[in-house]
C-alpha cells in the first residue's frame, strides 16, 4: 500500500505541497489493535498497511478525499462512538422497529451498523465507511457511502485497495484539482480554480 502513498505524495508535491504538512505519521500497532477491540472485528490488511504509512490527516479545513477528511484512527474511533451512541439511544428506531435504509445490493438494510467503520468525514455526519458486515451479496471490507439524512446506502468500491487505487488514479488524471479556498474538489464543479 506504500505505492499509493508515494503516488499521492508525488501529486501533492506537484500541485499542493502544503497538504504534505497535514499528513499524520503512520499509526502504531497498538492504536490499530485498540480500534479492532473497540469495533470487535479485525480490520482489512490493506487498510492497516495503508495507515501504517500515514494515520490519515490532521484536522484541517482541507480534506484529502474529495474535500472530506481522511480520518485518523483516533478520529475513526470518535466517529464510531458518535454513531454507536445514537444507536444505543434508539435514534435509529421508530415505534420499536429499526429504521430501514435503501441499500445497494450487498449492503445490510440498516440506518447504521456498528461494523460500518467511518474512514472519511465531511464534518456534517456523512462518511465513507469500511463495511465489515456486508449482506450476503456484498464483500467484507467494501467501501460504502453513509449519509446521515439520506436513506440510500451506496457501494463505492468493492475493497479498500480498489477504492484508494481508483481515487489516486482519478487525482493523477486530473479529475480532482486542488483549490486553496475549497480543498480538493471534483473538476465538474463551478468553482473558479484560480482562487
Amino acid at each position: 500500500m506504500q505505492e499509493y502513498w508515494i503516488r499521492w505524495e508525488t501529486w501533492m508535491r506537484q500541485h499542493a505541497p502544503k497538504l504534505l504538512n497535514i499528513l499524520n505519521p503512520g499509526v502504531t500497532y497498538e492504536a490499530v489493535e485498540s480500534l479492532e477491540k473497540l469495533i470487535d472485528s479485525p480490520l482489512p490488511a490493506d487498510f492497516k498497511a495503508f495507515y501504517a504509512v500515514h494515520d490519515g490527516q490532521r484536522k484541517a479545513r482541507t480534506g484529502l478525499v474529495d474535500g472530506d477528511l481522511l480520518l485518523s484512527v483516533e478520529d475513526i474511533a470518535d466517529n464510531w462512538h458518535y454513531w454507536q451512541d445514537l444507536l444505543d439511544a434508539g435514534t435509529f428506531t421508530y415505534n420499536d422497529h429499526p429504521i430501514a435504509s435503501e441499500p445497494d445490493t450487498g449492503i445490510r438494510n440498516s440506518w447504521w451498523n456498528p461494523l460500518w467503520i467511518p474512514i472519511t468525514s465531511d464534518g456534517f455526519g456523512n462518511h465513507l465507511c469500511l463495511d465489515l458486515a456486508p449482506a450476503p451479496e456484498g464483500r467484507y471490507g467494501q467501501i460504502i457511502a453513509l449519509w446521515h439524512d439520506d436513506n440510500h446506502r451506496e457501494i463505492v468500491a468493492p475493497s479498500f485497495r480498489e477504492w484508494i487505487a481508483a481515487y489516486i488514479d482519478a487525482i493523477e488524471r486530473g479529475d480532482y484539482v486542488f483549490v486553496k479556498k475549497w480543498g480538493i474538489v471534483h473538476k465538474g464543479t463551478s468553482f473558479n480554480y484560480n482562487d
Side-chain angles (χ1 to χ4, degrees):
M1 296 302 288
Q2 187 170 10
E3 68 180 275
Y4 296 113
W5 275 118
I6 291 169
R7 290 169 57 194
W8 204 353
E9 289 179 46
T10 299
W11 181 90
M12 289 179 198
R13 279 189 199 89
Q14 293 171 353
H15 301 281
K18 290 187 177 182
L19 292 181
L20 294 165
N21 298 328
I22 64 173
L23 295 175
N24 288 321
V27 71
T28 65
Y29 173 81
E30 292 78 16
V32 171
E33 188 177 55
S34 177
L35 179 59
E36 289 178 322
K37 285 180 182 173
L38 174 69
I39 64 174
D40 195 25
S41 179
L43 291 159
D46 286 341
F47 171 85
K48 292 192 279 191
F50 188 77
Y51 269 69
V53 180
H54 288 293
D55 181 13
Q57 70 172 94
R58 292 181 179 88
K59 290 181 181 170
R61 192 170 63 109
T62 301
L64 294 178
V65 181
D66 195 11
D68 293 351
L69 298 178
L70 179 64
L71 297 174
S72 68
V73 165
E74 180 180 349
D75 291 332
I76 288 170
D78 289 345
N79 280 272
W80 183 90
H81 273 294
Y82 172 80
W83 283 94
Q84 184 64 44
D85 289 347
L86 291 173
L87 182 68
D88 292 344
T91 304
F92 309 132
T93 59
Y94 181 74
N95 289 337
D96 294 325
H97 296 290
I99 298 174
S101 63
E102 292 182 10
D104 285 355
T105 300
I107 302 175
R108 291 188 187 274
N109 188 3
S110 304
W111 195 264
W112 180 74
N113 184 296
L115 290 176
W116 293 352
I117 313 305
I119 59 171
T120 69
S121 175
D122 67 356
F124 299 102
N126 304 310
H127 307 278
L128 293 181
C129 297
L130 283 169
D131 181 0
L132 306 183
E137 304 87 352
R139 283 178 48 185
Y140 177 85
Q142 63 194 4
I143 304 298
I144 64 171
L146 169 67
W147 297 90
H148 77 282
D149 60 351
D150 187 334
N151 63 354
H152 183 225
R153 302 291 177 257
E154 174 187 4
I155 295 177
V156 175
S159 70
F160 182 83
R161 178 182 289 272
E162 289 167 276
W163 168 70
I164 200 63
Y167 188 67
I168 302 300
D169 287 348
I171 287 173
E172 291 173 336
R173 270 195 317 268
D175 293 352
Y176 294 84
V177 296
F178 178 72
V179 182
K180 184 177 179 182
K181 186 174 180 180
W182 301 104
I184 297 175
V185 182
H186 192 273
K187 259 188 174 177
T189 65
S190 59
F191 296 126
N192 178 354
Y193 295 121
N194 297 317
D195 286 346

